[in-house]
Amino acid sequence: RRVLFRSESLKIEDDEEVEEEEFPEGSVIDTTKAPEENNDFLALSGVYEGLLISGEGEERTEDPLDVTVETKDNLFKLALYDANVQGIALGDLILENIPAKKSAEGYTFALEGIDVTLADGALEATVDVDGEVSTTGNLKFSVKIQTPPIELSYEGTKKK
């Protein structure tokens, strides 16, 4: 179903808020797609190639790592497979259900208190994550593992 607007604005009201959007006369909006499919959010899914950074100064290490990003229902899933930090094999670090928020350059995301199992089940930890991904394909985020205390950052670009 498609909707043709003859006026220059559309007002949408629900119990929580009122949205008003401007449309040129004669605009067509495809209402058959889910709301998230009408923007660039789904296009952010993919594999990003970059560096996992830990430590500072002489203790700083940069390990090449691909990160898989999945987007659905305005939530991010970040998957760091076979992550190694300063010689410690963390294994797979999967962070799910991270809320996304639209920003000027793309989307930001943050979530605290994610319970994960690392090192092939040998370590249970709580993790905080926050970051951003741009619509031009740049991904940056930080991860704080509370026990043992490890702070990581990642910078990468989406593979074509």
Side-chain angles (χ1 to χ4, degrees), residues 91-106:
D92 297 343
L93 177 57
I94 311 297
L95 307 172
E96 298 182 89
N97 299 318
I98 307 166
K101 185 175 182 182
K102 183 79 170 139
S103 69
E105 287 83 35

Side-chain angles (χ1 to χ4, degrees), residues 3 10 13 17-18 20-22 27 33 38 44 50 54 67-68 93-94 96 114 123 127 129 132 136 149 159:
V3 178
L10 169 68
E13 296 183 29
E17 59 186 63
V18 175
E20 189 165 331
E21 296 187 38
E22 297 295 323
S27 292
K33 295 182 179 179
N38 287 322
L44 301 176
S54 63
V67 172
T68 302
L93 177 57
I94 311 297
E96 298 182 89
I114 307 167
L123 176 64
V127 174
V129 63
E132 62 186 342
T136 58
K159 290 184 175 183

Side-chain angles (χ1 to χ4, degrees), residues 65-93:
L65 184 69
D66 288 350
V67 172
T68 302
V69 174
E70 293 179 23
T71 55
K72 184 178 179 184
D73 299 327
N74 284 332
L75 297 171
F76 278 103
K77 175 182 176 183
L78 303 175
L80 293 73
Y81 296 110
D82 298 320
N84 289 292
V85 177
Q86 297 180 350
I88 300 169
L90 294 179
D92 297 343
L93 177 57

Side-chain angles (χ1 to χ4, degrees), residues 2 7 15 24 29 37 40 42-43 60 63 74 85 93 101 103 116 121 123 126 138 147:
R2 292 181 180 261
S7 66
D15 293 339
I29 294 188
E37 294 176 328
D40 52 7
L42 292 178
R60 179 182 168 108
D63 297 302
N74 284 332
V85 177
L93 177 57
K101 185 175 182 182
S103 69
V116 297
L123 176 64
T126 301
N138 296 311
T147 305

